[in-house]
Amino acid sequence: MKTTITQSSIHVSSQKANLVCDLVRNQSATKALVILDNTPNKTAKVIRKTLNSAIANATNNHAMNAANLYIYEITANQGKTLKRMIPRAKGSSSSIRKRFVTIKIVLSDDKEQKKTDLLAIKTRLAKRNQSKKSKSAAKSSKPTINKVSTPRVKLLNKGENK
């Protein structure tokens, strides 16, 4: 079983948040908490709070065992961007982009679930590719009509030499 939690409008860029997400991706929940506790980063604190909330939701709402939970999926997608201006020399200005991020954490208690989901995706892609190949084969089996090319004639102006 899977449980999902999202936290939006975190004032950090998605590039910095993805660095922290890469540290804990596919880890057990308890190991991820230890990693996040020892990571000196603003994003790590926010992800740790979100992960604690996800663990609490999984144990209370879905009756999952906290010891068996692992991070099935964690993403840090770009959220809204506030655009501000700062004054510069000679009456000009520069733009400042204040970026936000949305963090999504999916926890699961079944280790085999990710493998079965990936297998299902691969079979869907194989069927899609097979149908595309059959459509292209059907198109290529149709007879094609070649255009007859006509010779081009070069026109000369009256004043030019031949």
Side-chain angles (χ1 to χ4, degrees), residues 51-108:
L51 183 59
N52 280 329
S53 178
I55 293 169
N57 284 347
T59 55
N60 293 329
N61 299 343
H62 301 291
M64 294 184 195
N65 188 3
N68 296 336
L69 291 175
Y70 77 100
I71 297 178
Y72 180 85
E73 178 185 352
I74 182 168
T75 57
N77 294 326
Q78 186 174 349
K80 63 183 179 181
T81 301
L82 298 178
K83 295 167 181 79
R84 300 291 184 256
M85 301 302 284
I86 186 169
R88 302 300 291 216
K90 298 182 181 177
S92 64
S93 63
S94 295
S95 63
I96 296 176
R97 290 177 298 209
K98 297 185 176 186
R99 299 179 186 270
F100 288 84
V101 71
T102 300
I103 294 176
K104 177 183 174 186
I105 298 177
V106 180
L107 295 179
S108 177

Side-chain angles (χ1 to χ4, degrees), residues 131-148:
S131 67
K132 284 183 181 178
K133 286 180 183 177
S134 64
K135 286 181 182 178
S136 65
K139 285 183 181 178
S140 64
S141 65
K142 292 180 182 177
T144 58
I145 299 172
N146 293 332
K147 291 184 177 179
V148 178

